[in-house]
Amino acid sequence: MTETATLQQALARFFNPAGLDRQRQRVCRHLLACRTEAMGGTVLQCTDCDHTQPHYFGCRDRHCPQCQGRAMHQWAERQQANILPVRYYHVVFTLPHSLNGWVQLHPEVIYRLLFQSAWHTLRSFGRDPKRLGGEMGMSAVLHTWGQNLSQHVHLHCLVPGGALGDDGGWHGARSHYLFPVRALSRHFRGHLVSGLRQAATAGELHRVTRPGDVDDQLNALMATEWVVYSKDCLEHTDTVVRYLARYTRRIAISNARILAVDDRQVTLRYKDYRDRDRRKQLVLDGEEFVRRFLLHVLPKGLMRVRHYGFLANRCRRRRLAQIRQALAVAEVTPDADSAASDPEPTYTCPHCRQPTLRVIGTLAPRRPTCGRPPNHREQRYRA
């Protein structure tokens, strides 16, 4: 067993670039270099005990478990002013597993239609005068994995419970599930299957080459019940922000879930939702672990977090002001301290346990030689 069990350790042992597309190779290079001498960094020295150590930069790749904690905090700070004092709903739209093959062949097409169909479904229900009769808002984040790293494509949506009417009034939702999930499921299914058929006609699914496969797949999808989950969540503003931030920055596997990495296998912890949410251990061959992880590398440039309706970027500030006026609540202004640039970070000395490490120099990036993974323990720096 290795001393530390991390995704970086697993990739260093089992990653093989042969046969992978450029995007997956690029992501793996970033993760292998993260917080190593390959990224460069700074030199820290303790002002009390004179202990000196390097501090390497992170890769900031959105697939990296080492870089998402700080990004989650920063994103939550920016979103604080956009939360309304209303009930929120957590809605999940899930693709059937029979579409997983098409997701690998045409991820951009399938993910685009997933976002479009989810928003079209909620918008249509919200516009219905028998329901809310107004414009809704939605923040959606794409997840592609299950707890065991299998492919499980779904969209987590955080939806303010109500709609802005054409008369400028706020029409609040009263139920604990927002809309009937069976009706949501069938509308969502119909819209997405229709979008897939149009995409196939336009030649956007050109990698699906088997004769008759498109028609057979779409007919089978229409005969299947799709899964939509809906539930209200806590109303407290800070809780809602943290809740959404946690989902927006979650990745396929965190280092905390990786229990061990040895010469042949990776052991990870997962929650089995089919067995009363029991926590279990899963042992995978190293190559299989990397294969499953790479299933969830997103296409370059794809936006996995999107905002719709009155939360869309182009109209959010104006619409939220209208809603707060209708709710008779004060306008939220960003805190000057949080809006300012991040303060200079402080580091705790591992020897004297005091926050007295200070930057005294820089570290130039160093590429690993002979294909060897970067070494955390090599300390080459200049003052």
Side-chain angles (χ1 to χ4, degrees), residues 11-32:
L11 290 176
R13 287 181 179 271
F14 304 114
F15 169 61
N16 183 358
L20 295 180
D21 59 65
R22 185 175 300 176
Q23 170 66 355
R24 287 181 168 84
Q25 293 185 33
R26 173 176 167 271
V27 168
C28 288
R29 286 197 302 269
H30 288 174
L31 271 57
L32 284 169

Side-chain angles (χ1 to χ4, degrees), residues 50-220:
D50 291 333
H51 169 72
T52 303
Q53 69 177 41
H55 177 76
Y56 298 119
F57 295 139
C59 64
R60 296 190 178 184
D61 194 291
R62 61 178 170 176
H63 302 89
C64 179
Q66 299 188 95
C67 294
Q68 291 307 302
R70 188 165 181 264
M72 180 178 69
H73 175 74
Q74 292 174 334
W75 191 90
E77 289 293 325
R78 293 195 300 269
Q79 295 300 314
Q80 184 70 44
N82 299 330
I83 298 298
L84 295 168
V86 300
R87 175 185 291 183
Y88 275 75
Y89 294 83
H90 180 198
V91 185
V92 183
F93 295 90
T94 303
L95 288 186
H97 288 178
S98 58
L99 272 175
N100 286 347
W102 286 14
V103 171
Q104 290 301 310
L105 292 174
H106 294 284
E108 299 93 340
V109 176
I110 306 300
Y111 295 152
R112 184 191 77 227
L113 292 175
L114 173 57
F115 277 102
Q116 290 177 353
S117 298
W119 170 237
H120 184 275
T121 299
L122 285 177
R123 187 173 187 272
S124 299
F125 276 66
R127 276 289 181 186
D128 187 347
K130 296 181 180 179
R131 300 184 188 276
L132 295 179
E135 183 73 7
M136 298 186 66
M138 179 182 83
S139 295
V141 54
L142 174 67
H143 284 190
T144 63
W145 58 86
Q147 280 278 303
N148 60 0
L149 284 182
S150 60
Q151 193 166 14
H152 178 62
V153 181
H154 55 287
L155 207 62
H156 288 275
C157 307
L158 193 66
V159 184
L164 180 63
D166 295 335
D167 58 355
W170 176 255
H171 306 165
R174 294 185 175 90
S175 69
H176 63 277
Y177 53 82
L178 188 58
F179 302 124
V181 292
R182 191 177 185 87
L184 286 175
S185 172
R186 293 187 173 182
H187 190 286
F188 171 59
R189 178 186 64 185
H191 189 272
L192 201 147
V193 170
S194 176
L196 287 172
R197 195 175 297 278
Q198 293 176 19
T201 302
E204 296 181 0
L205 302 178
H206 57 88
R207 297 189 184 95
V208 183
T209 57
R210 200 162 44 185
D213 193 23
V214 171
D215 288 334
D216 292 344
Q217 176 72 285
L218 297 184
N219 291 337

Side-chain angles (χ1 to χ4, degrees), residues 14 20 57 69 103 120 133 163 195 199 207 213 215 221 234 243 267 292 305 319 321 354 360:
F14 304 114
L20 295 180
F57 295 139
V103 171
H120 184 275
R207 297 189 184 95
D213 193 23
D215 288 334
L221 289 172
L234 297 175
Y243 184 85
T267 304
R292 292 194 188 189
V305 182
R319 291 296 194 187
Q354 298 297 318
I360 64 169

Side-chain angles (χ1 to χ4, degrees), residues 350-365:
H351 283 205
C352 62
R353 305 297 180 186
Q354 298 297 318
T356 50
L357 284 178
R358 297 293 182 266
V359 176
I360 64 169
T362 60
L363 293 160

